[in-house]
Amino acid sequence: MIHNMKFIYLAYIALSLLLCGCYDDKGNYDYTPLNRIEIENFDMATYYLGDLIELKPVLTFSIDSTEDNLLFEWTIFGNKKIYSHDLSYIADTLGSGFIVLRVKDTVNGIEYSASQSCTIKTEYEADGYMILSKGANNESILSYIKLISNPNYSSQTGVGETNFYTCADYYDVYHTTNNESLGRGPLKLLQHFHSSNTGNSSEVGAFWIFQEEPECFDISGVSFQKDITLTSQFMDGMPTGFKPYDMVDMTWSSFVIGQDGMMYSRKKETEYLFNSGLFLNNAVTFEEDGTIYPVSGKEVIHHRYSTAGYTLFFEKTLNRFLLMLDGSQQNGGQISSPDIPGDNIYTPRDAAKIDNLGDMEMICCNAVKVSWGNKFYAILKDPNGVFYSYTFDMGDAYYGRSPGIEKVVQAELPASTQSVLNSIINGSSKNIFKVGYANTEYSSGSANNKQLLDYVLITKDNELYLLERKSGEIILYDSFDATITSIDTESWNAWMAGIGLENGKFHIMELTNAGYSQEHPRRMYSSETNFGEIVDIRFKNGASWQ
């Protein structure tokens, strides 16, 4: 009982003191609202050594926007620190990591932060154009044009249009990186790739360089350093008299093609390396109904698809289309014919046949991208000099089966186009044909948000013509001050083309509806560098097939 009374007495005293304290402190607290800060996410891209990285933070304040009491600290990849409001940093560190911005409110002692992932690659890893040219005394020269996204690009048409890319030229880049000359007698370039998995990430595609002497070899697409020679890739050394000129390199197989069309093949030991396995020293042949035929790969139809499981080519002697198979490791390296289900696939029924074009002359053919399988577009010419478009679809070749031909359509081109083609393809002028792989039924937009074109580019000496595939109409797209010697249209969705000239000049053309209708100039870029007589151009495209 006495214990309970003491407890009540002590509780009464404590409550009294608490009430007095609250009364005495009335009006002593001065609440100041906190001026909180939010940092807007900043956009990052892939950068290359030497690029200027510029970031301007955008801050949102809960009360007022005064920054007098703020300190700014940028951290690059966890170690390099820059103390400034805006970031202006020349990329000098390779790798991937985070760029972190910390903003400290020195009045309240509160720190705010935002970060974004960033990748910095070597200066040669960017998309661009590889240029193989001929210098004095037939010297082989390899150069590179890097495409750089233009921060001032405007999507407006007309006079206000600015280029989607700016460019940097690296003349004779092989000599710069290897401290030796490339060789002599430049012929051709080929970019090739390998598959990737969790233990073996894909790399920027390597490049085979074909030349007359001393030999052909493969170089890194990252550093342009020399890797291996073509001779070392044959089981018993380079076949006697074989003069390499071109190559088809796919997931599971490679076919090297000589200047006379003769081919040798290899099966790869793995899909995760640029080069594995060895070329057999027996020339590739085609067998049908017990008869073995020699075949020529001179009219191979290059494309960058990895999904088809084959590469199509036109065998001129046999007057038919055949396939270089790549559907699996088992059937890779073989030559086969596509499956033809019957004459009901042809429109009209008397159209030229896939396995025998009859008296039709093959003018050009190339692949067009679709959502499944492949579509091909060709131009044929009959004995009377009449030109036709010739299109057909073909499925994929996997697990050993041949792909089937579907929907072969042959149609006479418009009369106005006939006369132009007869003047272009006259037997004496230099002609190059490039079918843009873009297909507006499959994908309509280019990288700069312009409408794509379905086109064929055709040259006559210094003139560049564009045939619109849907209408069949042809126009003079541009003319240059020297003969056109090389064209490449393998950029994403084929919305631009690299044009190489005999006098060493190089141009990039935009191939969109805006360019076609001349809403703005068709030339995106004209280099001031003289590269020497340009022999071949290849668009340098990242680390995988398109």
Side-chain angles (χ1 to χ4, degrees):
M1 182 68 179
I2 295 173
H3 176 76
N4 290 338
M5 288 296 293
K6 286 182 179 180
F7 175 79
I8 294 171
Y9 177 71
L10 290 173
Y12 173 77
I13 293 173
L15 181 59
S16 299
L17 291 172
L18 180 62
L19 290 174
C20 291
C22 290
Y23 178 81
D24 290 341
D25 285 349
K26 185 176 180 181
N28 285 350
Y29 290 102
D30 183 13
Y31 294 99
T32 302
L34 189 62
N35 190 17
R36 294 191 177 276
I37 301 172
E38 289 186 6
I39 306 174
E40 185 176 306
N41 289 335
F42 38 90
D43 294 329
M44 299 295 298
T46 297
Y47 296 93
Y48 302 90
L49 283 179
D51 283 357
L52 177 62
I53 302 176
E54 293 184 300
L55 296 174
K56 297 180 182 296
V58 178
L59 307 182
T60 302
F61 298 83
S62 60
I63 300 177
D64 61 67
S65 58
T66 180
E67 298 185 3
D68 295 342
N69 59 318
L70 302 181
L71 294 178
F72 293 81
E73 177 192 275
W74 299 86
T75 304
I76 316 296
F77 292 1
N79 49 31
K80 186 180 292 293
K81 295 185 182 296
I82 297 174
Y83 299 93
S84 62
H85 182 281
D86 300 340
L87 177 66
S88 181
Y89 164 65
I90 296 178
D92 61 2
T93 303
L94 289 174
S96 296
F98 287 89
I99 292 182
V100 180
L101 169 62
R102 292 182 176 86
V103 178
K104 184 174 183 179
D105 181 346
T106 58
V107 172
N108 297 295
I110 299 177
E111 186 178 273
Y112 305 89
S113 66
S115 63
Q116 185 62 266
S117 60
C118 175
T119 298
I120 299 176
K121 299 182 177 181
T122 71
E123 59 183 333
Y124 301 140
E125 287 187 69
D127 286 357
Y129 287 93
M130 302 297 295
I131 299 174
L132 183 64
S133 56
K134 184 190 302 182
N137 300 317
N138 205 24
E139 178 187 8
S140 299
I141 301 172
L142 183 69
S143 302
Y144 166 57
I145 292 182
K146 179 168 70 173
L147 299 182
I148 304 168
S149 296
N150 184 359
N152 299 317
Y153 172 73
S154 168
S155 60
Q156 297 175 359
T157 56
V159 179
E161 176 80 16
T162 58
N163 288 334
F164 187 75
Y165 293 114
T166 60
C167 298
D169 297 356
Y170 296 82
Y171 172 73
D172 202 6
V173 70
Y174 178 84
H175 185 274
T176 301
T177 56
N178 293 272
N179 198 30
E180 66 178 21
S181 62
L182 187 61
R184 298 187 184 280
L187 298 171
K188 210 166 186 65
L189 288 169
L190 172 78
Q191 188 178 20
H192 62 115
F193 310 93
H194 66 71
S195 301
S196 62
N197 60 12
T198 54
N200 188 353
S201 62
S202 188
E203 306 164 68
V204 173
F207 280 87
W208 279 107
I209 298 175
F210 292 88
Q211 57 182 355
E212 293 173 352
E213 57 181 41
E215 57 187 334
C216 308
F217 52 82
D218 205 23
I219 66 170
S220 164
V222 175
S223 66
F224 299 147
Q225 292 285 325
K226 184 177 179 179
D227 185 12
I228 61 171
T229 65
L230 182 57
T231 300
S232 70
Q233 297 300 289
F234 275 85
M235 184 170 291
D236 296 313
M238 187 76 72
T240 303
F242 180 62
K243 298 180 179 180
Y245 173 76
D246 198 1
M247 183 184 289
V248 173
D249 189 83
M250 296 176 283
T251 304
W252 288 110
S253 61
S254 306
F255 292 78
V256 61
I257 305 168
Q259 294 183 35
D260 59 357
M262 184 174 291
M263 294 190 290
Y264 296 88
S265 69
R266 69 174 172 188
K267 289 185 180 182
K268 296 183 181 180
E269 296 174 353
T270 173
E271 62 180 302
Y272 303 119
L273 296 174
F274 287 125
N275 294 286
S276 64
L278 296 173
F279 287 96
L280 300 177
N281 284 66
N282 300 320
V284 171
T285 57
F286 168 62
E287 182 175 355
E288 186 175 58
D289 298 328
T291 302
I292 298 175
Y293 302 93
V295 288
S296 169
K298 291 183 74 172
E299 297 193 44
V300 62
I301 300 168
H302 283 289
H303 60 79
R304 287 191 164 191
Y305 310 145
S306 62
T307 56
Y310 58 84
T311 292
L312 186 72
F313 69 103
F314 179 69
E315 214 299 321
K316 190 171 184 178
T317 302
L318 300 178
N319 200 29
R320 64 185 295 180
F321 289 102
L322 293 173
L323 305 170
M324 303 175 189
L325 290 181
D326 190 62
S328 67
Q329 191 175 30
Q330 287 69 37
N331 69 3
Q334 300 177 26
I335 302 295
S336 180
S337 60
D339 180 57
I340 303 170
D343 286 348
N344 60 336
I345 65 172
Y346 294 99
T347 303
R349 285 293 183 97
D350 62 350
K353 302 300 184 281
I354 293 291
D355 56 353
N356 186 353
L357 289 186
D359 57 6
M360 286 288 194
E361 177 187 355
M362 171 66 69
I363 302 299
C364 70
C365 183
N366 217 323
V368 177
K369 197 170 186 179
V370 291
S371 58
W372 179 87
N374 281 286
K375 180 183 286 290
F376 294 87
Y377 180 96
I379 297 177
L380 307 181
K381 182 180 179 181
D382 73 12
N384 298 318
V386 179
F387 294 93
Y388 297 83
S389 64
Y390 188 78
T391 62
F392 54 95
D393 295 351
M394 188 156 46
D396 293 345
Y398 282 113
Y399 310 112
R401 62 179 178 83
S402 290
I405 298 288
E406 303 173 3
K407 296 185 293 187
V408 181
V409 179
Q410 179 179 306
E412 185 174 330
L413 290 168
S416 59
T417 299
Q418 298 286 340
S419 60
V420 175
L421 287 178
N422 273 302
S423 69
I424 295 173
I425 309 170
N426 54 30
S428 60
S429 298
K430 181 176 179 60
N431 301 128
I432 300 173
F433 303 88
K434 286 291 182 179
V435 179
Y437 79 85
N439 179 3
T440 56
E441 295 178 3
Y442 171 62
S443 179
S444 60
S446 68
N448 65 348
N449 297 317
K450 302 295 177 62
Q451 182 70 30
L452 293 174
L453 289 174
D454 299 303
Y455 66 84
V456 183
L457 294 182
I458 307 173
T459 73
K460 177 189 177 185
D461 299 327
N462 68 315
E463 297 175 337
L464 178 67
Y465 290 83
L466 187 148
L467 186 151
E468 205 281 321
R469 296 199 305 263
K470 287 184 176 179
S471 66
E473 299 292 337
I474 190 170
I475 64 168
L476 176 64
Y477 203 72
D478 207 338
S479 59
F480 303 91
D481 60 355
T483 298
I484 301 168
T485 53
S486 184
I487 299 177
D488 186 280
T489 60
E490 290 193 338
S491 62
W492 181 76
N493 271 344
W495 73 282
M496 60 184 185
I499 308 291
L501 304 183
E502 189 175 45
N503 64 1
K505 294 183 180 180
F506 176 81
H507 304 272
I508 301 176
M509 308 293 297
E510 182 174 323
L511 299 168
T512 64
N513 270 349
Y516 185 82
S517 62
Q518 291 189 297
E519 293 179 32
H520 59 82
R522 293 165 177 168
R523 295 189 190 184
M524 294 175 59
Y525 174 74
S526 296
S527 175
E528 296 181 359
T529 302
N530 187 322
F531 293 98
E533 181 183 338
I534 295 178
V535 175
D536 197 20
I537 299 168
R538 297 292 290 189
F539 184 74
K540 183 176 183 290
N541 175 56
S544 64
W545 293 275
Q546 295 181 9

